[in-house]
Amino acid sequence: MILLETKALTRTYGGVVAVSKVSFQAQEGLITGLIGPNGAGKTTLFNNMTGLDLPTAGKVYFKGKDITGHSAHKICRMGIARTFQNIRLFKELTVTENVMVGRHFKTGRNVNHGRTLTAVGSYLQMNREHQQVHAEAMRWLEFFGLEPFANELAKNLPYGHQRELEIARALATEPTLLFLDEPAAGMNPHETASLMATIRRIRDLGITVVLIEHDMKLVMNICDTISVLNYGENIANGTPSEIRGNPLVIEAYLGKEEE
Amino acid sequence: MGSMVEFFQHLMNGLTLGGIYALIALGYTMVYGILKFINFAHGDVLMVGSYIGLFVYNFIRGEVLGAWSILAFFLSMLVGMVFSALLGMTIEKVAYKPLRKATRLAPLLSAIGISFILSNLAAWFWGTKSRKLEYPFDNSPLYIGEVSITPHQILILAVVVVMMVSLKLFVDKTRIGKAMRATSLDQDTAKLMGIRVDRVISITFAIGSALAATAGILIALEIKVYPSMGTMTGLKAFVAAVVGGIGSISGAMVGGILLGLLETFGVALLGIPYGLRDTIAFVVLIIILLLKPEGILGKAEKEKV
């Protein structure tokens, strides 16, 4: 089943066409890779699908519903989460607090008891809710093995752990679809290997993953299907082995051979 | 012994003045914390709130007598706060939100424009003559030892303490307060965490404007209400916010109190002529900008290249 798709999505900046009539699909339950040379329009496509940017033309559908132009917080609440190419943690908050922010919009609902009664009641309510959110955040930290760092400031974490924390925070919003923008960027081979295992575990939770990545070993190893962008255009789609042998893709990455 | 009495007297005067600055400074600092922009119409929102409070008070005061008039005063203050909150939110929607993606100078100029529009509209509607807000109580001073304190000062201190404590609790403990802090740290990421950033910004303007109206109505008892009352008061509260560390709520409180004390003691102890009192704030501003530009409680931000 198609969980998310774009139809002829186009984004231009003045005369520059960053994304041109791209029809991208993400199948439910699979890991989809989005690859292409630098400047191919991968992150722009991500921004247009997560509400951070508005497409010039074309549509985005999530679970069959048109979400084009929805604001980012609304799209998040529908079940789409993402991470960034350059890590964007709340640097001055602790590791636990970062994940707790991801639980924010899940709180304050279905909690009518005691809420309107008295100030004391609502104060206790807030504390109870706070503890619950804290416990849920800790569960995600355990998923990533980050609980030893729970009380560290996010900015003091080693780089690889910062990447994992950003994913943990995204997962805390309980998405059905997770976008990862270059999750392995700057990681050493050991960190990359553990990241690959983590991404598989995320898929096994039933979460659909779409990732942008330049590390071909990672992409070819864990993606079920791959879409390739070049100069804003979708030039190929297929399984890793199909993509590996596709002459258009080889040309995009290596250039055309002189005859 | 006489000098001790004098010291406490000035301390009391400085604290009340500083409390007022702090209340107004909170509006500047909260908006800056979230939008990185100085709302120069803040002082005029204070002025409008004061007028509304004055009208409501004069309207109901005739009906009530004696001890009840303090209740009437608080009711008027509440109406002024609500009106200012709505005004602040409207200004944000009309004059700042459309410019959020423009250059940083654009909303600043828009704010200065709104400031002129508000003070001129006030002069047009209500005249330029200053109006007196009558004390809702007998304001003859009480004595603690030899130190005199007026009921007006007690009122100011009480209101300021209540407002500051509630604001601190609100920002630290409630859902919306937490959403505010997340928004001030990183707006885009906050959005992706499902936080309704536009609503958070509206609420920030509402709270800041309501606090300004409170401060305006408190000082209106002493300095009267007139169309340009927000200009100098607003400017000095802005200085207080910068001195304390703009963007920091505790900083605005500290900066406000400090400025109030410096003004009072500057005139009383250093012998700065009363007419030059207003310059003290700006001299302090220059000194702070030279020595610790991020303010007392502000954090130095490293520009990343």
Side-chain angles (χ1 to χ4, degrees):
Chain A
M1 197 195 105
I2 298 166
L3 187 62
L4 178 123
E5 68 176 326
T6 67
K7 285 195 177 150
L9 192 139
T10 300
R11 178 68 168 109
T12 59
Y13 295 96
V16 182
V17 184
V19 174
S20 171
K21 293 182 195 143
V22 169
S23 294
F24 169 82
Q25 292 185 345
Q27 298 284 339
E28 187 168 10
L30 299 187
I31 300 175
T32 305
L34 186 59
I35 65 170
N38 283 324
K42 305 180 296 288
T43 299
T44 306
L45 187 59
F46 260 34
N47 288 344
N48 278 290
M49 293 190 286
T50 50
L52 282 186
D53 191 20
L54 265 178
T56 314
K59 297 275 177 201
V60 184
Y61 295 91
F62 179 59
K63 292 180 179 168
K65 250 184 278 169
D66 184 358
I67 59 163
T68 324
H70 279 21
S71 53
H73 72 79
K74 207 166 161 193
I75 289 176
C76 161
R77 288 169 185 220
M78 292 174 85
I80 299 180
R82 76 170 284 178
T83 64
F84 288 94
Q85 190 175 341
N86 46 341
I87 303 175
R88 286 177 76 168
L89 291 169
F90 296 116
K91 295 189 198 74
E92 302 292 333
L93 297 185
T94 68
V95 168
T96 318
E97 283 167 345
N98 263 280
V99 183
M100 287 171 77
V101 176
R103 302 293 312 161
H104 179 267
F105 78 89
K106 300 276 180 191
T107 60
R109 296 171 188 187
N110 312 322
V111 282
N112 294 321
H113 53 286
R115 192 159 202 228
T116 45
L117 284 180
T118 57
V120 177
S122 65
Y123 184 75
L124 292 176
Q125 177 72 37
M126 274 187 315
N127 275 343
R128 208 163 36 237
E129 210 168 72
H130 188 84
Q131 276 161 14
Q132 195 187 333
V133 168
H134 187 267
E136 286 160 352
M138 287 310 285
R139 273 213 332 265
W140 284 113
L141 291 186
E142 278 161 30
F143 184 84
F144 286 88
L146 286 171
E147 69 273 28
F149 305 101
N151 297 318
E152 297 266 354
L153 288 186
K155 63 174 178 184
N156 295 336
L157 280 191
Y159 186 80
H161 288 330
Q162 291 197 12
R163 286 242 170 245
E164 290 172 336
L165 175 57
E166 205 187 14
I167 301 174
R169 186 181 63 183
L171 287 172
T173 65
E174 289 177 20
T176 43
L177 175 61
L178 176 65
F179 285 107
L180 301 174
D181 195 348
E182 293 197 31
M187 281 190 171
N188 63 37
H190 174 75
E191 288 171 330
T192 305
S194 115
L195 176 72
M196 278 161 56
T198 306
I199 294 175
R200 285 204 187 92
R201 278 164 63 215
I202 293 170
R203 181 196 51 195
D204 294 343
L205 292 174
I207 296 167
T208 307
V209 178
V210 178
L211 57 90
I212 294 177
E213 189 47 67
H214 285 298
D215 186 328
M216 282 306 137
K217 193 167 151 252
L218 182 145
V219 173
M220 294 300 167
N221 254 305
I222 66 168
C223 290
D224 302 297
T225 165
I226 297 174
S227 292
V228 189
L229 290 188
N230 191 28
Y231 292 114
E233 285 178 30
N234 182 207
I235 57 168
N237 300 294
T239 62
S241 57
E242 285 165 4
I243 293 297
R244 207 177 287 146
N246 188 315
L248 279 172
V249 177
I250 296 170
E251 190 189 312
Y253 272 94
L254 300 175
K256 203 170 187 161
E257 230 173 297
E258 296 281 335
E259 301 266 336
Chain B
M1 192 62 210
S3 69
M4 260 327 247
V5 170
E6 220 169 88
F7 173 80
F8 279 110
Q9 189 65 63
H10 296 314
L11 185 68
M12 192 54 75
N13 296 344
L15 282 178
T16 42
L17 182 63
I20 294 286
Y21 288 150
L23 275 191
I24 310 167
L26 284 167
Y28 284 107
T29 223
M30 286 168 73
V31 166
Y32 185 87
I34 285 185
L35 292 178
K36 302 283 173 281
F37 136 80
I38 305 295
N39 176 18
F40 275 118
H42 193 55
D44 301 278
V45 171
L46 171 149
M47 174 271 298
V48 174
S50 309
Y51 267 105
I52 300 298
L54 171 94
F55 294 145
V56 175
Y57 184 60
N58 285 348
F59 180 73
I60 50 183
R61 196 171 59 104
E63 313 293 322
V64 293
L65 286 168
W68 289 105
S69 53
I70 184 77
L71 274 181
F73 177 78
F74 280 125
L75 183 67
S76 318
M77 185 183 268
L78 195 68
V79 176
M81 286 167 76
V82 171
F83 192 90
S84 277
L86 292 174
L87 179 65
M89 284 161 74
T90 312
I91 292 173
E92 193 272 326
K93 286 270 175 292
V94 174
Y96 308 151
K97 196 178 168 201
L99 297 172
R100 224 179 270 163
K101 294 220 162 112
T103 69
R104 285 179 61 173
L105 217 49
L108 203 69
L109 291 173
S110 183
I112 293 171
I114 292 289
S115 162
F116 279 114
I117 290 173
L118 287 180
S119 55
N120 283 297
L121 279 181
W124 187 32
F125 281 142
W126 303 318
T128 48
K129 217 174 111 236
S130 48
R131 299 169 190 234
K132 179 97 182 86
L133 186 62
E134 298 295 337
Y135 284 110
F137 39 68
D138 174 16
N139 198 39
S140 40
L142 312 167
Y143 287 89
I144 305 167
E146 288 175 63
V147 182
S148 79
I149 178 166
T150 63
H152 182 211
Q153 287 178 316
I154 297 174
L155 175 73
I156 290 177
L157 288 177
V159 172
V160 167
V161 168
V162 168
M163 291 289 174
M164 283 187 181
V165 172
S166 347
L167 182 72
K168 198 79 188 143
L169 281 176
F170 176 80
V171 172
D172 286 349
K173 294 284 178 189
T174 64
R175 278 187 86 235
I176 303 167
K178 287 173 188 171
M180 270 180 175
R181 282 186 291 153
T183 305
S184 80
L185 289 170
D186 186 335
Q187 241 184 70
D188 278 343
T189 311
K191 267 188 213 163
L192 290 169
M193 297 293 113
I195 291 169
R196 277 180 266 186
V197 167
D198 285 344
R199 202 171 69 156
V200 168
I201 293 173
S202 274
I203 293 169
T204 307
F205 271 87
I207 294 175
S209 305
L211 291 176
T214 314
I217 293 165
L218 285 175
I219 49 175
L221 289 172
E222 201 166 299
I223 67 157
K224 303 187 182 172
V225 180
Y226 51 97
S228 61
M229 70 181 283
T231 312
M232 186 49 84
T233 326
L235 218 47
K236 283 205 256 178
F238 167 60
V239 170
V242 174
V243 167
I246 192 125
S248 151
I249 286 181
S250 320
M253 297 179 184
V254 171
I257 304 275
L258 182 73
L259 201 62
L261 290 173
L262 284 174
E263 279 196 355
T264 317
F265 280 100
V267 171
L269 298 185
L270 302 178
I272 296 168
Y274 192 82
L276 287 179
R277 194 173 88 140
D278 287 349
T279 58
I280 295 175
F282 301 101
V283 172
V284 171
L285 176 68
I286 292 170
I287 294 173
I288 279 284
L289 287 179
L290 287 174
L291 298 181
K292 200 170 184 301
E294 67 274 16
I296 297 170
L297 295 182
K299 281 200 183 114
E301 269 180 47
K302 274 174 245 147
E303 287 279 340
K304 276 209 181 119
V305 188

Short mmCIF file of all heavy atoms in Angstrom, two decimals, chain A residues 180-208:
data_model
loop_
_atom_site.label_atom_id
_atom_site.label_comp_id
_atom_site.label_asym_id
_atom_site.label_seq_id
_atom_site.Cartn_x
_atom_site.Cartn_y
_atom_site.Cartn_z
N LEU A 180 14.37 10.48 7.27
CA LEU A 180 15.71 10.68 7.83
C LEU A 180 16.57 11.36 6.75
O LEU A 180 16.76 10.81 5.67
CB LEU A 180 16.34 9.34 8.21
CG LEU A 180 15.59 8.50 9.25
CD1 LEU A 180 16.26 7.14 9.42
CD2 LEU A 180 15.51 9.23 10.58
N ASP A 181 17.07 12.55 7.05
CA ASP A 181 17.88 13.28 6.08
C ASP A 181 19.36 13.06 6.39
O ASP A 181 19.88 13.62 7.36
CB ASP A 181 17.53 14.77 6.12
CG ASP A 181 18.06 15.53 4.92
OD1 ASP A 181 18.90 14.95 4.18
OD2 ASP A 181 17.64 16.68 4.70
N GLU A 182 20.00 12.24 5.60
CA GLU A 182 21.41 11.87 5.77
C GLU A 182 21.76 11.46 7.19
O GLU A 182 22.60 12.08 7.85
CB GLU A 182 22.32 13.03 5.33
CG GLU A 182 22.23 13.27 3.83
CD GLU A 182 23.38 14.09 3.30
OE1 GLU A 182 24.49 14.00 3.86
OE2 GLU A 182 23.18 14.83 2.33
N PRO A 183 21.13 10.38 7.68
CA PRO A 183 21.36 9.97 9.07
C PRO A 183 22.80 9.54 9.34
O PRO A 183 23.27 9.64 10.46
CB PRO A 183 20.39 8.81 9.27
CG PRO A 183 20.10 8.29 7.90
CD PRO A 183 20.17 9.49 7.00
N ALA A 184 23.52 9.08 8.32
CA ALA A 184 24.87 8.57 8.56
C ALA A 184 25.95 9.61 8.29
O ALA A 184 27.13 9.32 8.44
CB ALA A 184 25.12 7.33 7.71
N ALA A 185 25.53 10.84 7.92
CA ALA A 185 26.53 11.85 7.59
C ALA A 185 27.47 12.08 8.76
O ALA A 185 27.03 12.30 9.88
CB ALA A 185 25.84 13.15 7.19
N GLY A 186 28.77 12.00 8.51
CA GLY A 186 29.75 12.28 9.54
C GLY A 186 29.98 11.15 10.52
O GLY A 186 30.72 11.30 11.49
N MET A 187 29.33 10.00 10.28
CA MET A 187 29.51 8.87 11.22
C MET A 187 30.71 8.03 10.79
O MET A 187 31.01 7.91 9.59
CB MET A 187 28.26 8.00 11.22
CG MET A 187 27.13 8.56 12.04
SD MET A 187 25.84 7.31 12.21
CE MET A 187 24.79 8.11 13.41
N ASN A 188 31.38 7.40 11.76
CA ASN A 188 32.44 6.46 11.41
C ASN A 188 31.81 5.10 11.07
O ASN A 188 30.62 4.89 11.34
CB ASN A 188 33.47 6.37 12.55
CG ASN A 188 32.86 5.84 13.83
OD1 ASN A 188 32.01 4.95 13.80
ND2 ASN A 188 33.28 6.38 14.96
N PRO A 189 32.56 4.19 10.44
CA PRO A 189 31.97 2.92 9.98
C PRO A 189 31.26 2.14 11.08
O PRO A 189 30.22 1.54 10.86
CB PRO A 189 33.19 2.14 9.47
CG PRO A 189 34.18 3.17 9.11
CD PRO A 189 33.97 4.31 10.06
N HIS A 190 31.83 2.20 12.29
CA HIS A 190 31.23 1.49 13.41
C HIS A 190 29.86 2.08 13.75
O HIS A 190 28.87 1.36 13.91
CB HIS A 190 32.17 1.58 14.61
CG HIS A 190 31.60 1.00 15.86
ND1 HIS A 190 31.52 -0.36 16.05
CD2 HIS A 190 31.06 1.59 16.96
CE1 HIS A 190 30.95 -0.59 17.23
NE2 HIS A 190 30.67 0.57 17.80
N GLU A 191 29.79 3.43 13.81
CA GLU A 191 28.52 4.10 14.11
C GLU A 191 27.50 3.83 13.00
O GLU A 191 26.31 3.63 13.26
CB GLU A 191 28.74 5.62 14.26
CG GLU A 191 29.45 6.00 15.54
CD GLU A 191 29.87 7.48 15.58
OE1 GLU A 191 30.13 8.07 14.51
OE2 GLU A 191 29.93 8.03 16.69
N THR A 192 27.97 3.82 11.74
CA THR A 192 27.07 3.57 10.61
C THR A 192 26.47 2.17 10.71
O THR A 192 25.26 1.98 10.47
CB THR A 192 27.84 3.72 9.28
OG1 THR A 192 28.45 5.00 9.26
CG2 THR A 192 26.89 3.59 8.11
N ALA A 193 27.29 1.19 11.08
CA ALA A 193 26.79 -0.18 11.19
C ALA A 193 25.69 -0.27 12.24
O ALA A 193 24.65 -0.89 12.01
CB ALA A 193 27.94 -1.12 11.55
N SER A 194 25.90 0.41 13.36
CA SER A 194 24.89 0.34 14.41
C SER A 194 23.64 1.11 14.00
O SER A 194 22.52 0.72 14.32
CB SER A 194 25.49 0.83 15.74
OG SER A 194 24.87 2.00 16.16
N LEU A 195 23.82 2.19 13.21
CA LEU A 195 22.67 2.94 12.70
C LEU A 195 21.82 2.07 11.77
O LEU A 195 20.58 2.09 11.83
CB LEU A 195 23.15 4.19 11.95
CG LEU A 195 22.05 5.01 11.28
CD1 LEU A 195 21.23 5.75 12.33
CD2 LEU A 195 22.62 6.00 10.29
N MET A 196 22.49 1.27 10.93
CA MET A 196 21.76 0.40 10.02
C MET A 196 20.87 -0.57 10.79
O MET A 196 19.70 -0.78 10.45
CB MET A 196 22.74 -0.37 9.11
CG MET A 196 23.20 0.47 7.93
SD MET A 196 24.72 -0.10 7.14
CE MET A 196 24.32 -1.76 6.72
N ALA A 197 21.44 -1.14 11.84
CA ALA A 197 20.66 -2.06 12.68
C ALA A 197 19.47 -1.32 13.29
O ALA A 197 18.34 -1.84 13.32
CB ALA A 197 21.55 -2.65 13.76
N THR A 198 19.72 -0.07 13.74
CA THR A 198 18.65 0.71 14.37
C THR A 198 17.51 0.99 13.38
O THR A 198 16.34 0.87 13.71
CB THR A 198 19.21 2.05 14.88
OG1 THR A 198 20.32 1.77 15.73
CG2 THR A 198 18.15 2.81 15.65
N ILE A 199 17.87 1.36 12.16
CA ILE A 199 16.84 1.69 11.17
C ILE A 199 15.98 0.46 10.89
O ILE A 199 14.75 0.54 10.76
CB ILE A 199 17.48 2.24 9.88
CG1 ILE A 199 18.14 3.60 10.19
CG2 ILE A 199 16.42 2.44 8.79
CD1 ILE A 199 18.91 4.20 9.04
N ARG A 200 16.63 -0.73 10.83
CA ARG A 200 15.85 -1.96 10.64
C ARG A 200 14.90 -2.18 11.82
O ARG A 200 13.75 -2.58 11.64
CB ARG A 200 16.78 -3.17 10.50
CG ARG A 200 17.45 -3.23 9.16
CD ARG A 200 17.88 -4.67 8.83
NE ARG A 200 18.66 -4.68 7.61
CZ ARG A 200 20.00 -4.59 7.59
NH1 ARG A 200 20.68 -4.49 8.73
NH2 ARG A 200 20.64 -4.59 6.45
N ARG A 201 15.39 -1.92 13.02
CA ARG A 201 14.53 -2.10 14.21
C ARG A 201 13.35 -1.14 14.17
O ARG A 201 12.25 -1.46 14.62
CB ARG A 201 15.34 -1.89 15.49
CG ARG A 201 16.15 -3.12 15.90
CD ARG A 201 17.22 -2.76 16.91
NE ARG A 201 16.68 -2.25 18.16
CZ ARG A 201 17.25 -1.30 18.88
NH1 ARG A 201 18.38 -0.75 18.49
NH2 ARG A 201 16.69 -0.89 20.00
N ILE A 202 13.59 0.07 13.63
CA ILE A 202 12.49 1.04 13.53
C ILE A 202 11.43 0.52 12.55
O ILE A 202 10.24 0.58 12.81
CB ILE A 202 13.02 2.42 13.08
CG1 ILE A 202 13.90 3.03 14.18
CG2 ILE A 202 11.87 3.37 12.74
CD1 ILE A 202 14.66 4.26 13.75
N ARG A 203 11.90 -0.05 11.42
CA ARG A 203 10.96 -0.61 10.46
C ARG A 203 10.17 -1.76 11.11
O ARG A 203 8.97 -1.90 10.90
CB ARG A 203 11.69 -1.12 9.23
CG ARG A 203 10.71 -1.69 8.19
CD ARG A 203 11.40 -2.53 7.15
NE ARG A 203 12.27 -3.53 7.76
CZ ARG A 203 13.20 -4.18 7.08
NH1 ARG A 203 13.38 -3.96 5.80
NH2 ARG A 203 13.97 -5.07 7.69
N ASP A 204 10.87 -2.55 11.92
CA ASP A 204 10.21 -3.69 12.57
C ASP A 204 9.14 -3.23 13.56
O ASP A 204 8.27 -4.02 13.94
CB ASP A 204 11.23 -4.59 13.26
CG ASP A 204 12.16 -5.24 12.24
OD1 ASP A 204 11.79 -5.25 11.04
OD2 ASP A 204 13.24 -5.73 12.63
N LEU A 205 9.20 -1.98 14.00
CA LEU A 205 8.12 -1.44 14.86
C LEU A 205 6.89 -1.12 14.02
O LEU A 205 5.86 -0.70 14.54
CB LEU A 205 8.59 -0.15 15.54
CG LEU A 205 9.69 -0.24 16.59
CD1 LEU A 205 10.10 1.16 17.04
CD2 LEU A 205 9.22 -1.06 17.78
N GLY A 206 7.01 -1.27 12.70
CA GLY A 206 5.87 -0.98 11.83
C GLY A 206 5.89 0.43 11.28
O GLY A 206 4.90 0.93 10.76
N ILE A 207 7.05 1.09 11.43
CA ILE A 207 7.15 2.48 10.96
C ILE A 207 7.80 2.49 9.58
O ILE A 207 8.85 1.87 9.36
CB ILE A 207 7.98 3.33 11.95
CG1 ILE A 207 7.25 3.39 13.29
CG2 ILE A 207 8.23 4.72 11.40
CD1 ILE A 207 8.08 3.92 14.43
N THR A 208 7.17 3.17 8.66
CA THR A 208 7.70 3.30 7.30
C THR A 208 8.84 4.33 7.33
O THR A 208 8.70 5.38 7.95
CB THR A 208 6.59 3.78 6.36
OG1 THR A 208 5.48 2.89 6.51
CG2 THR A 208 7.06 3.80 4.93
#
